Amino acid sequence: MLSMDKLAALDLSVWLRSGHEAATRLRVTQPNVSRRVRQALQRFELQLMKRDEEWELEGSALGQELLGMERQVHQMARWMGHAPLRIEGTYWSGPLLLSPEPQGWVVGCCNVVGIEKPLRWLRQGVIDAWLAGGPDWPEPDDPEFTVIELCHMPLHVVVAPGHPLLRSLEPGKPLHWDDVAAFPSLALPPGAYPKVEASLRELGLWNSPSRMHRYRRSLWEGKSEQELAVGYATVLSEQVAGALLRLPLQLPIHSGEALVLRRPWAKHPAIATLTALLRQRLQPLAARHPELVLVS
């Protein structure tokens, strides 16, 4: 069996994409993390390869299987209180809801784009919970994951101040989706958020692709501010995204925040404590913004 410190060094380096970030969370030096990662890789005869600026594990099927079994044991140890639990969030939920860091939890970089990586990390036991933005979270009857919904809120279409669509607004003259579809609208890699993507494509939106796999403001809100791109925002993302203005159109999409985790841990006391804390941190935001509706 591999020691918890060695596997934690490996998994945090992969999850956080950085030995420096892993060292910060583990409160050790970066050379210490590098040594532990090498020892863990040697144990399972695996290698770390970087693709699209992300670390991926490669090696034999047997090595991957043994690593998976080890991860499940170590995850159980975390739920038993032998090490901090791990949670990933979004670029808005990180600063708004996961800071300061909840007691007993390690918070990720909160810049992952899309649902594939957080769900894979949950499935593998690399992380223990994911604070996800809706509607792209698992369905209520999903056999593997539990979804604890915290709040609901609408998704808005936003543009930069001075955008031609704002200048074209006149009293008594409605704005149509065809007007909006005439401009480039931000899009993420295919499948990043499949439910949102499908709904926006039906309206002629989601047509200006970005290769962003980790959130970068310059590639998202920055494009809306400096170019003619149409973007999307919720009342939560607006708190950290800058001065974009809503268009007077209602998207047929409702977003929200939800805690996602594997079903075996849904009733754990640590989840009840975390859920209560997140709802407490949402309350002042809901008081200021009535469109944010808390889910009890």
Side-chain angles (χ1 to χ4, degrees):
M1 181 171 174
L2 194 67
S3 67
M4 292 193 70
D5 60 346
K6 291 184 177 66
L7 185 54
L10 174 60
D11 280 348
L12 265 66
S13 295
V14 172
W15 169 35
L16 305 173
R17 201 174 57 164
S18 161
H20 172 73
E21 292 287 347
T24 299
R25 304 306 198 281
L26 294 171
R27 295 181 173 85
V28 298
T29 65
Q30 193 165 344
N32 195 312
V33 166
S34 298
R35 183 174 65 256
R36 294 178 186 180
V37 168
R38 286 195 302 271
Q39 293 169 338
L41 291 172
Q42 289 169 0
R43 173 66 62 88
F44 299 107
E45 299 182 353
L46 300 174
Q47 301 85 40
L48 270 180
M49 304 295 291
K50 206 159 203 179
R51 291 193 181 85
D52 293 327
E53 301 185 5
E54 300 284 342
W55 288 112
E56 301 287 348
L57 284 163
E58 287 193 352
S60 69
L62 177 60
Q64 298 275 9
E65 182 180 354
L66 291 173
L67 173 61
M69 295 168 63
E70 192 85 11
R71 279 171 165 166
Q72 298 307 314
V73 173
H74 286 226
Q75 184 181 54
M76 184 174 296
R78 292 197 299 275
W79 285 109
M80 292 173 65
H82 297 297
L85 294 160
R86 305 169 187 167
I87 185 169
E88 184 58 76
T90 60
Y91 73 88
W92 61 86
S93 64
L96 292 176
L97 303 178
L98 295 175
S99 180
E101 200 169 67
Q103 184 175 0
W105 291 84
V106 170
V107 177
C109 295
C110 298
N111 61 5
V112 177
V113 172
I115 65 172
E116 188 273 333
K117 280 195 187 320
L119 289 176
R120 171 152 52 98
W121 290 333
L122 282 172
R123 192 173 288 116
Q124 293 173 336
V126 173
I127 65 174
D128 306 301
W130 172 37
L131 187 53
D136 280 289
W137 50 52
E139 298 296 332
D141 60 351
D142 188 282
E144 188 172 9
F145 299 111
T146 290
V147 177
I148 303 172
E149 295 189 31
L150 303 171
C151 69
H152 296 156
M153 55 196 164
L155 184 66
H156 301 285
V157 184
V158 294
V159 294
H163 192 283
L165 283 168
L166 292 172
R167 294 199 298 268
S168 69
L169 294 176
E170 299 176 10
K173 180 183 176 183
L175 185 67
H176 299 287
W177 287 114
D178 288 345
D179 302 324
V180 180
F183 290 87
S185 54
L186 296 177
L188 291 167
Y193 297 103
K195 295 176 185 177
V196 169
E197 177 181 351
S199 295
L200 294 180
R201 284 191 182 278
E202 287 185 3
L203 299 171
L205 307 180
W206 203 265
N207 58 33
S208 181
S210 167
R211 288 177 54 82
M212 184 172 66
H213 295 283
R214 293 271 180 163
Y215 172 73
R216 287 173 56 192
R217 191 180 186 285
S218 61
L219 296 179
W220 199 240
E221 289 89 4
K223 290 189 69 174
S224 292
E225 292 171 345
Q226 299 167 18
E227 304 175 15
L228 296 179
V230 173
Y232 328 99
T234 66
V235 67
L236 290 185
S237 66
E238 286 174 332
Q239 308 302 306
V240 298
L244 296 174
L245 302 178
R246 300 177 182 180
L247 292 178
L249 288 169
Q250 182 64 55
L251 281 167
I253 305 170
H254 260 68
S255 185
E257 296 293 313
L259 200 58
V260 183
L261 63 154
R262 292 182 60 237
R263 285 194 176 276
W265 311 113
K267 303 295 186 181
H268 195 280
I271 291 301
T273 301
L274 177 64
T275 301
L277 175 65
L278 294 173
R279 289 185 170 131
Q280 178 184 339
R281 291 179 176 179
L282 279 165
Q283 284 174 353
L285 292 163
R288 293 198 303 271
H289 305 283
E291 69 184 75
L292 193 159
V293 179
L294 298 180
V295 177
S296 61

